[in-house]
Amino acid sequence: MKIIILGAGRVGYSVAESLVSERNDITVIDTDAERLEDLQNRFDLRGVVGNGTDVRVLAEAGAADTDLLIACAALDETNLVCCKLAHMAFGIPARVARVRSTAFEHDPRLLSAEGFAVDAVVCPEISMTRYIRKLIEYPDSLQVREFAGGRACLSSVRARAGAAAVGMRIGDLRVHNPELGLRIVAIYRRFADEPDRFVRCDGTTRIEPGDEVFVLAAREHLRQVLEAFHLRMGQVARQVRRILISGGSRVSLQLAQSLVAEPGRFHVKIIESDARRCEELAAALPSEVLVLHGNPTDEDLFADENVDETDLFLALTDDDENNIMASLLAKRMGASRVLALINRRSYADLMHGTQIDIALSPAQAMLGEFLAYVRKGDVQAVHSLRRGVAEALEIVARGDRRSSKVVGRKVSELKLPPEVHIGLIVRGLPDTEDIRAQSEGVEPEVIIPRSHTVIESNDHVVFFLPNKRLVQEVERLFRVSATFF
């Protein structure tokens, strides 16, 4: 696929890195020649120096025969105008834009072909808020990703000694806990003086303390599944009530607004160093949210605000170093769980396995939303995992036994690479673009597939791929032949 990426910032860098590894023809446009040179030295792609709102620059980038434009420059205006030009002047078939403003949600005509001609909008703040809300809802998890309109979830959890499932073989776990309805698709194991290593899962694999376990389950079973790996026998699950946010960023504001929409459930405090921003936050939020003016790394302030009683500490400033130091300090002072927002990938890698429970990269959180428009066939959802190395993919089976290599066949008959795991199947979803819609009288079924399970047309199949190079093989397998109408 031929793709133009507008913007070589953190998001553009992550998107380019991911797509180049899949042998796409990538061109990146940016006004910063030095940044483009760095990208070209690292990856097999082409850089064009210039403004994406200039028709001549788009022409030089090869817009005339481009399949997809991903506009992720810093300014909304640049991204929107670039999409409009790509549509009008070059007829680029698909156009995705990063847009921070939420004003476009209220009038879809603005994004239509007559408006800015944007096929899909990715909003960083909304993506981050949605991501963090899932971590609040499932506090035992390291991340939670949704499939089939939220009916199924992929989560990673740190295995703790004394938990019911830890120390067991995967095969024994299925036998002794058939009601859990889960599929372990990957384990990443810690080794001394080495990065975590991928452990292939089968019935004989034993779950050890410290393992990062990736598990797929129906949404209604997820909480029980996570507790089986993370809570010691007899321990009561702790709900997130008290939340302390360091930094008054846009993400902090949207998250606080989301939390207080459930009256009485959460007690939220925000620490912000800028007095004017504190006033803006206080004006935008209800009185039950306490906005504090102070240094987000002030130990005395943390003590005064009882950080030791905090269920979740979120460091969401725009400064990576401040977020790291504030999270480490909060953890040392007794916060139950800490999350640090970290933009630099090298910093996020360093924080993995430290006292910081979750190191969250905004670019990685959004990456899957961009990738969903690159994948071929009936791909419904894509989630980038393990800092972009692995991927979870939801794809719809189409056709019949004559035109498809998967429909009407048992799981054991599918010619998949041995590393690829079929995690689960969601059957009975309405065959519409909006899979969140519910057909009257039809209740979708979440199936944990076995070797004898037969794939049916319109099944939503969720895969875990430990390496992105396997994506194209899965896509080819699900491709319907030309004889299907």
Side-chain angles (χ1 to χ4, degrees):
M1 181 180 285
K2 189 170 183 180
I3 303 169
I4 292 177
I5 299 172
L6 175 64
R10 291 189 178 104
V11 175
Y13 182 101
S14 295
V15 173
E17 180 183 25
S18 179
L19 297 180
V20 164
S21 67
E22 299 171 27
R23 300 179 182 177
N24 292 289
D25 183 358
I26 306 295
T27 301
V28 181
I29 301 173
D30 200 279
T31 55
D32 190 326
E34 186 176 339
R35 189 180 290 172
L36 282 177
E37 184 180 1
D38 179 58
L39 264 177
Q40 290 180 105
N41 290 336
R42 290 174 179 267
F43 309 117
D44 181 18
L45 53 77
R46 177 172 169 248
V48 174
V49 180
N51 192 318
T53 61
D54 188 328
V55 174
R56 293 168 298 180
V57 172
L58 287 171
E60 183 184 349
D65 60 348
T66 289
D67 302 302
L68 171 67
L69 168 71
I70 297 176
C72 50
L75 297 177
D76 288 358
E77 296 85 348
T78 302
N79 294 331
L80 292 169
V81 172
C82 185
C83 285
K84 184 63 176 178
L85 289 176
H87 174 65
M88 287 185 63
F90 301 100
I92 294 178
R95 302 157 304 278
V96 184
R98 180 177 77 165
V99 179
R100 293 184 181 277
S101 173
T102 58
F104 298 99
E105 295 179 357
H106 307 297
D107 191 348
R109 294 175 300 173
L110 296 173
L111 300 177
S112 68
E114 293 73 29
F116 286 107
V118 180
D119 293 311
V121 165
V122 177
C123 177
E125 285 75 27
I126 292 176
S127 297
M128 294 296 298
T129 300
R130 189 185 303 124
Y131 190 103
I132 296 171
R133 277 305 309 260
K134 284 297 173 186
L135 295 174
I136 292 172
E137 186 177 349
Y138 300 101
D140 297 322
S141 65
L142 299 174
Q143 61 182 310
V144 179
R145 299 295 199 172
E146 291 186 330
F147 296 95
R151 294 176 177 87
C153 297
L154 171 70
S155 179
S156 65
V157 59
R158 184 71 65 190
R160 295 179 64 186
V166 178
M168 297 181 68
R169 291 186 176 90
I170 292 176
D172 295 336
L173 178 62
R174 295 172 187 158
V175 172
H176 296 299
N177 302 276
E179 74 286 351
L180 283 182
L182 62 88
R183 170 60 56 84
I184 297 175
V185 292
I187 291 174
Y188 288 85
R189 183 158 293 162
R190 288 177 173 174
F191 293 91
D193 303 321
E194 291 182 38
D196 289 5
R197 190 185 305 164
F198 172 72
V199 176
R200 188 179 170 193
C201 298
D202 57 32
T204 64
T205 306
R206 190 180 298 276
I207 302 159
E208 297 183 2
D211 284 352
E212 183 179 357
V213 182
F214 281 80
V215 58
L216 273 159
R219 178 180 55 197
E220 58 267 25
H221 298 152
L222 184 59
R223 194 178 307 278
Q224 184 183 0
V225 167
L226 293 172
E227 291 174 359
F229 290 97
H230 192 70
L231 292 187
R232 295 184 178 91
M233 299 291 286
Q235 186 178 4
V236 178
R238 182 175 184 178
Q239 299 298 312
V240 173
R241 303 290 185 194
R242 297 177 177 273
I243 300 172
L244 179 59
I245 302 174
S246 170
S249 64
R250 290 183 180 183
V251 175
S252 302
L253 174 59
Q254 287 205 9
L255 179 62
Q257 290 172 331
S258 171
L259 294 171
V260 296
E262 301 179 51
R265 183 178 175 187
F266 301 104
H267 181 63
V268 183
K269 298 179 185 178
I270 301 176
I271 300 173
E272 169 57 42
S273 58
D274 184 87
R276 181 172 296 180
R277 180 58 177 165
C278 284
E279 293 176 2
E280 294 172 355
L281 291 169
L285 292 167
S287 57
E288 56 261 36
V289 178
L290 184 61
V291 180
L292 304 166
H293 179 223
N295 187 331
T297 58
D298 187 335
E299 186 172 358
D300 292 334
L301 179 58
F302 280 14
D304 291 342
E305 296 306 321
N306 301 315
V307 72
D308 58 319
E309 298 178 3
T310 298
D311 299 313
L312 181 62
F313 177 87
L314 302 168
L316 305 179
T317 75
D318 295 324
D319 187 293
D320 286 358
E321 288 84 356
N322 274 346
N323 289 341
I324 291 169
M325 295 307 297
S327 298
L328 291 173
L329 179 61
K331 191 71 172 181
R332 183 176 66 82
M333 294 181 68
S336 296
R337 197 165 178 80
V338 300
L339 178 150
L341 193 63
I342 301 177
N343 285 287
R344 294 188 188 180
R345 181 171 178 174
S346 58
Y347 282 12
D349 291 342
L350 286 172
M351 292 304 104
H352 189 68
T354 67
Q355 287 185 306
I356 294 177
D357 297 297
I358 302 169
L360 179 56
S361 163
Q364 287 297 317
M366 288 189 294
L367 183 56
E369 297 184 51
F370 289 112
L371 293 180
Y373 296 94
V374 181
R375 300 285 176 256
K376 299 180 178 66
D378 283 287
V379 173
Q380 295 291 323
V382 179
H383 294 299
S384 181
L385 307 166
R386 295 294 298 180
R387 298 175 292 283
V389 175
E391 193 166 289
L393 188 72
E394 175 191 348
I395 190 166
V396 183
R398 301 291 190 192
D400 53 27
R401 188 173 177 85
R402 178 175 56 88
S403 60
S404 170
K405 297 176 183 177
V406 297
V407 174
R409 290 167 174 81
K410 297 177 181 178
V411 168
S412 59
E413 297 173 346
L414 302 185
K415 297 180 179 178
L416 286 167
E419 306 99 317
V420 173
H421 275 273
I422 296 183
L424 53 77
I425 298 169
V426 181
R427 181 169 295 164
L429 284 169
D431 191 9
T432 63
E433 291 185 3
D434 182 8
I435 60 173
R436 290 182 183 271
Q438 178 61 62
S439 296
E440 186 176 352
V442 176
E443 183 63 35
E445 179 186 7
V446 178
I447 301 168
I448 304 298
R450 306 300 181 197
S451 59
H452 61 272
T453 304
V454 177
I455 306 292
E456 297 181 5
S457 183
N458 200 43
D459 278 354
H460 288 240
V461 187
V462 181
F463 292 93
F464 180 88
L465 297 83
N467 194 304
K468 289 170 60 62
R469 64 179 170 78
L470 302 166
V471 168
Q472 293 181 349
E473 296 184 53
V474 175
E475 288 177 340
R476 279 197 298 268
L477 182 67
F478 275 74
R479 198 172 299 159
V480 177
S481 70
T483 58
F484 175 63
F485 295 93

